[in-house]
Amino acid sequence: MIETLAAWRPRALSVLRIIAGLMIIQHGMGKIIGFPVYPAYANVQPLSLIGAAGFLELIGGALLILGLWTRPVAFILSGEMAVAYFMVHAPKGFFPLVNGGTLAIAYCFVFLYLATAGAGPWSVDAAMKRD
């Protein structure tokens, strides 16, 4: 069974990248284009810090879905999530469960993993033999 699972490892990396991209792009879409509608993102100004995060999430999410420039994009998004955690969540309390930062931490480390592991075989990077 270990050998069977190991054979699927590269494809699982691609699936992780695609799903992470789909999850983060919706945060960017909500902040920048207002869809899906999320009340907390109703009055985001594009030139604000949250607006800048929205552009990173929108563009970075799209690039991750495609698997284009995966390593640098994932590294930038990992940093964005670390900043989000320490600026927004950590001041509310020490424990991530209490301060609402669990998702930011999870994204941070998923993106950090993608920055080190690459895009996987189902990607533009692999098709262009850059990964």
Side-chain angles (χ1 to χ4, degrees):
M1 177 154 165
I2 300 294
E3 295 82 20
T4 304
L5 291 174
W8 282 89
R9 185 181 303 145
R11 294 177 200 101
L13 175 60
S14 291
V15 171
L16 175 65
R17 174 188 46 79
I18 292 165
I19 297 301
L22 288 169
M23 294 298 102
I24 200 69
I25 198 172
Q26 67 182 326
H27 289 273
M29 289 172 57
K31 290 172 186 163
I32 301 304
I33 64 174
F35 179 81
V37 175
Y38 185 60
Y41 299 157
N43 296 315
V44 172
Q45 300 299 313
L47 297 178
S48 68
L49 195 57
I50 296 173
F55 281 110
L56 285 174
E57 293 159 357
L58 182 66
I59 295 165
L63 291 171
L64 282 182
I65 293 165
L66 295 172
L68 179 60
W69 301 316
T70 301
R71 290 177 191 266
V73 168
F75 185 76
I76 290 166
L77 289 174
S78 177
E80 180 209 353
M81 291 295 104
V83 168
Y85 179 77
F86 286 110
M87 285 185 72
V88 177
H89 300 287
K92 297 177 186 174
F94 179 76
F95 297 103
L97 180 63
V98 175
N99 69 28
T102 305
L103 188 57
I105 292 171
Y107 276 137
C108 179
F109 284 95
V110 165
F111 293 142
L112 187 59
Y113 175 71
L114 290 173
T116 60
W122 299 335
S123 66
V124 174
D125 286 343
M128 296 173 69
K129 305 222 186 310
R130 292 194 315 206
D131 196 34

